[in-house]
Amino acid sequence: MAPENIRNGWGFAAPCASVLTLLSASPVLAQTQGFSANVLSGAMPLTVAIGAGAFALIAMTWVRRLLKDARLAKAQSNEQISSLRALVDEYEALLSGTGEVTVLWTEYTEGPKFLGQSALIVPPGRRSDAILDFNFWLQDEEADELALALENLKVHGRGFDLSLRTRENILIRASGWVLGSGTALRLRRAAQQIATAPAPQPRDANADFGAAKSILSALAVPAFLRNGSQKLIFANSAWHDAARQLGKRSSEAQPAELLDPAQQNAPAGAPTTTVMLAEAGTFELVQFPVGGGIGGFLRPRKDVGRDANLSHLSSIIDALATPIAIFNANRELVQFNRAYCALWSIDPHWLKLGMDERAILDKLRTDGKLPNEPDYQAWRAKHLTSYALTTPRESDPWHLPDGRTVQVISAPAGPKGGVIYVFEDITDQLYLKSLNKALTDVQRSTLNALSEGVAVFGTNGRLTLSNPRFSMLWKVPTNLLDGNPHIDQIAEAVTAAMPEDGASIWRDLKRGIIDLNPTRSDQSGRLTRADGRMLDYAVVRLPDGQTMMTFLDVTDSAKYSLMLRERNEALVTADRLKDAFVQNVSYELRSPLTNIIGFADLLSSKAAGELNEKQQSYTDYIRASSVTLGVLIDNILDLATVDAGIAQLRPEPQDIAALVEKARAGLAASFPEIDGESSINLKVEIAPDLPAFIADGTRVVQVLYNLLSSAARFSEPGGEVKLTVAGRGDRILFIVDDEGAAMGDEMRAALLERNDGQAIAGRQRGAGLGLAIVRAFVNLHGGTVTVEKRGSRGSRCTINLPADASLQQAGAAE
């Protein structure tokens, strides 16, 4: 533009240039004409001023021309923008009149853009964005299907074409496709329902039919056109060929009918149906509206089935919980599911279809998710040999760094190559196997350590489990048991080892194994074999239908049981003899003893005459021995009643001093003065303020008498025996001290168990019935007996009795 302006400006600048030329030539003119130098020097400033003005005039003219051209270009641009906007408005108006709604998502808009009449889809008065609330106007299942298809379109670029039912049972066709860097969704009613909506301007039906004929004629599958009255008006060559295969005459002027009446009257947009044309094949009927009529074609069933199966298979794979990935022969990812992404913690937005498996493996290795292999390249190369497989292969488990173990199964993807990977997380499975193996080992060790012989038989009568003890008890070779023999084989082996009775024993045992009656009961018993061994056996039915047999060798325990039974019988017999002896003592010995005591008393009373000193001494010995013998007989009877469990106390309030005096009197009778010399020196100390004493007085006197007589018997003649009675809370203490020989273990044992008196060499302590009586009666009162030594000689025996024995007796009764 600038050169043109410059050229245009030369019309005004030419005169100015002529003037400048003239002025510059003035020196020559002056020289030739005789002008003086002074005149010329005065003209130079004027010449410069005129040139500068001329240049400014030219520049201003050029700038004005540039501004004019810029305004003209801007006006032209605005005109073009207005034309484009008008064209867009026309297109939108055209879309609004087509009976469909289109939703666009592009990178140039913040949200979806809606084209068309929303009232065709949602109730009038609703905003356009209510169309995307699928649950509002679609049935629940249809809404979920459309939402999933739209998500797959946006994420994976998978187009779709669906037939949906609204909540008003209106059929809607929904199509989705990728539009450049964005996506588009088109919703339109079926042909028979569009008529109820505001219709666009009528179009030329003949033009639509003509265009449809041109398209349908080029199809390789049977195609047709029907007018508004469902009459067949056009069919392509493939339609005529199918008709001829069926034996029908068909021409362009009068095409043959291949569809049944229900299919002929099916509206456009109705769900596809199957058309079976015998030798011509099986097809899928697809129809669409054309210029007030209907067009359609027959798609071969195998193609439709294959596409449907692939789509259905893809949905199934994605819903599986097992991770699956499918690669084609070029190692490109063609299918995967959400479980695959979850297994490797892969971002689904990063994992795209078409990615090379090697790139995926490298990514997983970089993230530390693959097994730690020293030679990764060799490991990957070995893994990629899966593409050459002809049969499925199960690889070695992958031990991942996070502790999981994954089993990979590779299988050929099809005749065109490729591989299908199925990944299984076997971490829990391996743990359970390890745990089961450990439990099995423990059970096996436990079973082998049992002293019982164990054998488990299956429902087929074969041995499934046994332990070494079973083999030992029945003398069956171990190698035979390891082969899971039948029970008949075991019976034969036992018969060979025990010919006397092995066959008969196992004949009876076999009945318990082969009896499959569900109501049968468990069995148990004892077997006595010919070799003298006794076995306790049990046949138990297990929950899984198997039968367990156990054998326990009880030969030794049975012998011990027999021995104990015989000994018990002997003890019972001895006890009866003892009872008989006690009765004899009571009735047979007491009568002559009474006569002896009576005649001794008669002699001592001098009724039969005077006795000299020696005779009197003998008589005293007779009387003392008789009293001692009477006491022994009473002790024997008392012990018999205690052992029989029939001894009873008669607690009554007692005077402790009177009880002590009775014991002293009995002691004086047993130890009389001989030759005027006392054989015992007894001292008694009774503490004042003792608590009330409730006990069986006769038994307490017997206890005190036996303790004092024992102390006197084993003390030196004239030795001191001291009896102290004291109180301690709600208990009474009777303490006997003597200066006799030191007490040994024998006397302590006598206070815990009965023992017959033994011959005493000298005046040494020994145990007898008296101390057993002490223990028995003290225990009946709920008291205790303690014995301790006093220095080098002498002993102390302490009887600790409750102040009220009736409370003890009442507690024992409860």
Side-chain angles (χ1 to χ4, degrees), residues 707-729:
L707 281 180
L708 294 174
S709 62
S710 177
R713 185 176 302 111
F714 301 106
S715 296
E716 296 296 333
E720 181 178 286
V721 177
K722 184 179 181 181
L723 172 62
T724 304
V725 183
R728 182 179 296 174

Side-chain angles (χ1 to χ4, degrees), residues 429-657:
Q429 181 180 347
L430 290 180
Y431 172 75
L432 292 176
K433 284 184 178 180
S434 175
L435 183 61
N436 181 65
K437 184 178 182 302
L439 291 176
T440 302
D441 292 342
V442 171
Q443 291 175 354
R444 171 62 63 181
S445 300
T446 304
L447 192 64
N448 292 342
L450 290 177
S451 60
E452 294 178 288
V454 178
V456 178
F457 292 88
T459 55
N460 58 357
R462 289 194 170 273
L463 182 70
T464 60
L465 182 67
S466 64
N467 65 345
R469 185 63 177 169
F470 175 78
S471 173
M472 185 183 304
L473 288 175
W474 292 105
K475 302 178 182 179
V476 179
T478 305
N479 56 355
L480 174 63
L481 299 180
D482 293 339
N484 302 110
H486 193 270
I487 188 172
D488 290 337
Q489 296 175 268
I490 297 177
E492 292 175 1
V494 173
T495 302
M498 305 175 184
E500 296 86 356
D501 56 353
S504 60
I505 291 177
W506 275 87
R507 187 185 309 112
D508 296 335
L509 293 175
K510 179 181 176 180
R511 295 192 185 97
I513 299 298
I514 64 176
D515 185 7
L516 300 180
N517 187 356
T519 61
R520 69 174 184 177
S521 58
D522 298 339
Q523 303 176 14
S524 62
R526 174 167 295 182
L527 301 173
T528 302
R529 299 194 318 208
D531 58 1
R533 309 300 296 179
M534 287 182 285
L535 304 179
D536 280 350
Y537 75 93
V539 180
V540 180
R541 186 176 183 182
L542 301 179
D544 58 356
Q546 299 189 97
T547 303
M548 180 178 67
M549 302 179 67
T550 61
F551 301 92
L552 178 62
D553 188 348
V554 295
T555 305
D556 294 337
S557 60
K559 291 180 180 179
Y560 294 147
S561 177
L562 178 61
M563 185 184 304
L564 292 174
R565 185 165 58 251
E566 292 175 350
R567 184 171 182 179
N568 184 63
E569 292 175 356
L571 291 175
V572 171
T573 302
D575 191 60
R576 283 200 301 268
L577 293 175
K578 182 199 69 174
D579 293 340
F581 171 74
V582 169
Q583 292 176 1
N584 290 333
V585 169
S586 175
Y587 296 104
E588 300 297 333
L589 296 181
R590 187 174 291 277
S591 296
L593 180 60
T594 302
N595 294 333
I596 293 173
I597 294 174
F599 283 113
D601 290 339
L602 180 61
L603 293 174
S604 296
S605 65
K606 301 179 182 181
E610 291 289 336
L611 300 176
N612 58 30
E613 185 176 351
K614 181 172 288 192
Q615 291 173 340
Q616 185 66 43
S617 176
Y618 290 161
T619 302
D620 292 338
Y621 273 122
I622 294 172
R623 293 176 60 199
S625 298
S626 299
V627 171
T628 301
L629 181 58
V631 171
L632 290 175
I633 293 173
D634 291 338
N635 288 341
I636 291 173
L637 294 175
D638 290 337
L639 285 177
T641 57
V642 171
D643 290 343
I646 59 176
Q648 294 183 353
L649 296 180
R650 294 181 176 83
E652 295 176 349
Q654 302 293 336
D655 183 358
I656 295 178

